[in-house]
Amino acid sequence: MAAGGGGGKADEFGPHPVKDQLPAVDFCVSSSPPWPEAIILGFQHYLVMLGTTVIIPSIVVPLMGGGDVQKAKVINTSLFVAGINTLLQTLLGTRLPVVIGSSYAFIVPTISIALSRRFSYIIDPDERFEVTMRYIQGALIISSLFACIIGFFGFWRIFGRFLSPLAAVPLVILTGLGLYERGFPQVAKCIETGLPALIILVFLSQYVPHLLKSKCAIFERFAVLFSVAIVWVYAEILTAAGAYDHKSPTTQFSCRTDRSGLIRAAPWISVPYPLQWGTPYFEAGDAFAMMAAAFVAIIESTGTFIAAARFGSATHIPPSILSRGAGWQGIGILLDGLFGTASGSTASVENAGLLGLTRVGSRRVIQISAGFMLFFSVLGKFGALLASIPLPIMAALYCVLFAYVASAGLGFLQFCNLNSFRSKFILGFSIFMGLSVPQYFNEYLLISGYGPVHTHSSWFNNIMQVIFSSPATVAIFVAFFLDSTHSYGHSSIHHDSGRHWWEKFRNFNTDTRSEEFYSLPFKLNRFFPSF
């Protein structure tokens, strides 16, 4: 039927239909591509998670007194534990296709421990590193108990039941967008390699498939591998040609392919094991700060879980499954403390973005990537070779992958009433404060050397710094509070916030699709129906 006066069809001007599950995904959570393709995709996920795994030890290990040997060992340990935690999360946790890796949330308390005056009497750097690591381990072990209680005792399920699409939008958006400093600012540290990597990735993944008009999704699926390989070879040529011989140490570290020190320092074969650094030391102040970091890591993981469920074409996560995932993340932090990774765990944002880029949200692919983590952590030299990829190349990947996670958050706007001024205020204010408050806290720390909360209790200062320097955490605090209190009792709020769309997922058994995506294997739901 023609529209009045327009000559077109009436439905051309109608809104797009709301979708509980994301369409156009090639493989969902419970399906899998053929084994050869799944293995290559798993390796690609392993490659993507390497950046954060290398960056965090590169920051904290030198402050602890360690050198290249200790850094290489911590990286191998982090990879090994990440492989175990990823398998646990995909098998027994949320069952979503998420990689569990190192978290930036733990950097502040870790640095605080590393720079503590209690180690001033230790002259030998190796001894200082081991003693510092033991204190970090103790704090991580205590904080893991806090995370396990939040998850396994159902406290996070309460949060999940009251979470609406309107409040979830700022959380998921800033889970990706809040990491903008890890993107182009890091690319610009070596623009001659970082910018080509970014351009090639966008061209291969977004333009080449349409130019070739091929049904085979090679470039969409493996654009990351092609981009890294091309630019890494280019960076090797520049290094060998002496392009950076007379540059500053900072430029050489960012651009050269032979400045990481990992290949030389890494052992050929090494199997990480619990308490390899010695017996952990426990300090109450350190534990409180780490608890705050664990809490922030759970919040950021929640945003990643929601995005991964979307890119895996799964239904929204039932609150009980969200709480189960938080509990197993606590187990992951416990393993971090026992093995000594110098950082806690969280769901990897970049790997969730890779699900969107490849349109493959398969759980099996992520489990294969966990196998690569375990394999290359034991074969130290081979793992170190890949870990030595210049960080600006990895940052170029983040520019695209973090953006995909932010776009998943924008996708939940379809469930909300965007013509409501209440919705406009909550969305705009929470996103703005989620960016503005952490910027203030981080700038203050950078200029003054301490955060804006500067009391005589360093553990309290660290708690405030950890919480309010996390964009996703600030955003969900503001959005969740406003959505729960603003115009409370008004008849239109329920629909404006999109709560009616997620009501059918509040209980595990309400929607039959939950069984397909989130049910435990081997009929374990009979013993653990929902934590």
Side-chain angles (χ1 to χ4, degrees):
M1 180 183 292
K9 293 183 179 180
D11 59 0
E12 287 181 357
F13 303 98
H16 294 287
V18 178
K19 299 287 187 179
D20 282 335
Q21 296 171 254
L22 184 66
V25 172
D26 295 330
F27 295 95
C28 69
V29 172
S30 54
S31 62
S32 177
W35 275 103
E37 187 175 343
I39 291 172
I40 298 174
L41 287 168
F43 178 76
Q44 190 168 238
H45 274 279
Y46 162 74
L47 196 65
V48 165
M49 64 85 62
L50 275 178
T52 299
T53 307
V54 173
I55 289 171
I56 293 179
S58 298
I59 294 172
V60 301
V61 168
L63 299 177
M64 296 164 61
D68 288 342
V69 173
Q70 287 83 359
K71 183 172 71 171
K73 190 172 182 179
V74 170
I75 290 172
N76 284 343
T77 302
S78 298
L79 276 175
F80 187 81
V81 176
I84 296 174
N85 287 339
T86 300
L87 288 175
L88 290 175
Q89 189 66 239
T90 54
L91 286 171
L92 303 173
T94 60
R95 303 273 290 155
L96 288 169
V98 291
V99 169
I100 304 297
S102 300
S103 170
Y104 291 106
F106 293 85
I107 287 182
V108 169
T110 299
I111 291 178
S112 178
I113 295 173
L115 300 181
S116 175
R117 294 180 180 177
R118 77 188 84 159
F119 308 122
S120 58
Y121 71 94
I122 303 177
I123 299 176
D124 181 44
D126 292 339
E127 181 185 356
R128 184 172 180 272
F129 170 81
E130 289 191 3
V131 173
T132 305
M133 178 64 83
R134 294 182 192 181
Y135 274 99
I136 294 172
Q137 287 181 265
L140 284 171
I141 291 171
I142 298 299
S143 68
S144 71
L145 302 179
F146 171 75
C148 288
I149 290 172
I150 288 179
F152 290 138
F153 283 81
F155 292 105
W156 209 239
R157 176 173 53 190
I158 298 172
F159 164 77
R161 285 182 173 176
F162 288 97
L163 182 68
S164 71
L166 182 65
V169 168
L171 169 62
V172 181
I173 287 178
L174 291 192
T175 297
L177 199 62
L179 295 168
Y180 66 91
E181 290 184 351
R182 306 291 172 187
F184 199 81
Q186 302 301 317
V187 169
K189 288 186 176 180
C190 189
I191 199 71
E192 58 266 38
T193 57
L195 187 59
L198 177 57
I199 293 173
I200 292 172
L201 177 60
V202 172
F203 180 72
L204 290 180
S205 64
Q206 306 300 321
Y207 288 90
V208 170
H210 298 284
L211 293 174
L212 296 180
K213 296 180 181 180
S214 173
K215 294 183 179 180
C216 186
I218 292 177
F219 290 100
E220 290 174 299
R221 300 267 173 86
F222 308 115
V224 166
L225 284 178
F226 291 141
S227 303
V228 170
I230 292 170
V231 182
W232 194 12
V233 171
Y234 170 61
E236 287 279 4
I237 294 173
L238 289 178
T239 301
Y244 307 111
D245 288 350
H246 304 292
K247 300 294 184 179
S248 66
T250 303
T251 301
Q252 292 197 35
F253 179 79
S254 298
C255 297
R256 295 183 69 99
T257 57
D258 57 358
R259 281 291 184 271
S260 67
L262 296 178
I263 299 176
R264 175 181 52 82
W268 281 103
I269 297 177
S270 177
V271 180
Y273 56 91
L275 306 182
Q276 58 186 339
W277 309 107
T279 305
Y281 297 142
F282 298 93
E283 181 75 25
D286 299 338
F288 286 132
M290 283 292 185
M291 285 181 190
F295 180 63
V296 168
I298 288 175
I299 289 176
E300 293 175 348
S301 289
T302 300
T304 306
F305 289 151
I306 295 173
R310 192 68 181 165
F311 287 136
S313 195
T315 54
H316 179 61
I317 312 173
S320 61
I321 304 303
L322 202 59
S323 194
R324 191 173 76 193
W328 279 101
Q329 184 172 331
I331 298 296
I333 297 173
L334 174 63
L335 294 177
D336 288 321
L338 291 174
F339 279 83
T341 63
S343 176
S345 293
T346 191
S348 171
V349 180
E350 51 267 39
N351 289 91
L354 187 57
L355 300 176
L357 179 67
T358 60
R359 300 182 189 179
V360 177
S362 170
R363 181 191 301 125
R364 180 182 295 173
V365 167
I366 300 301
Q367 291 170 341
I368 292 172
S369 75
F372 280 111
M373 296 173 210
L374 295 171
F375 178 76
F376 283 112
S377 65
V378 173
L379 298 179
K381 292 288 186 185
F382 295 99
L385 176 64
L386 295 171
S388 64
I389 298 172
L391 293 180
I393 298 177
M394 305 302 295
L397 307 182
Y398 297 160
C399 290
V400 174
L401 302 181
F402 292 160
Y404 262 103
V405 174
S407 72
L410 291 170
F412 292 112
L413 290 173
Q414 66 183 305
F415 303 114
C416 309
N417 179 12
L418 297 181
N419 293 317
S420 164
F421 276 93
R422 174 185 180 273
S423 299
K424 292 178 184 294
F425 169 70
I426 293 175
L427 288 170
F429 186 64
S430 59
I431 292 174
F432 181 85
M433 295 303 289
L435 290 171
S436 186
V437 172
Q439 181 71 16
Y440 166 70
F441 270 76
N442 291 330
E443 281 187 0
Y444 200 108
L445 180 64
L446 184 64
I447 295 172
S448 304
Y450 51 83
V453 180
H454 188 57
T455 68
H456 294 293
S457 299
S458 60
W459 60 268
F460 180 77
N461 302 338
N462 290 334
I463 288 175
M464 294 295 103
Q465 187 66 35
V466 167
I467 291 175
F468 290 103
S469 61
S470 168
T473 303
V474 174
I476 192 58
F477 278 178
V478 175
F480 191 83
F481 175 78
L482 291 176
D483 189 43
S484 301
T485 58
H486 189 308
S487 304
Y488 181 77
H490 198 280
S491 58
S492 64
I493 290 176
H494 192 72
H495 281 69
D496 288 350
S497 297
R499 294 183 186 276
H500 60 296
W501 283 102
W502 282 3
E503 273 186 346
K504 54 180 171 288
F505 305 116
R506 289 187 66 182
N507 295 306
F508 182 82
N509 295 323
T510 306
D511 192 283
T512 55
R513 292 172 292 178
S514 297
E515 180 80 16
E516 176 188 354
F517 300 117
Y518 303 109
S519 181
L520 291 174
F522 314 118
K523 298 182 179 180
L524 289 175
N525 274 38
R526 294 179 299 173
F527 306 101
F528 308 101
S530 63
F531 288 108

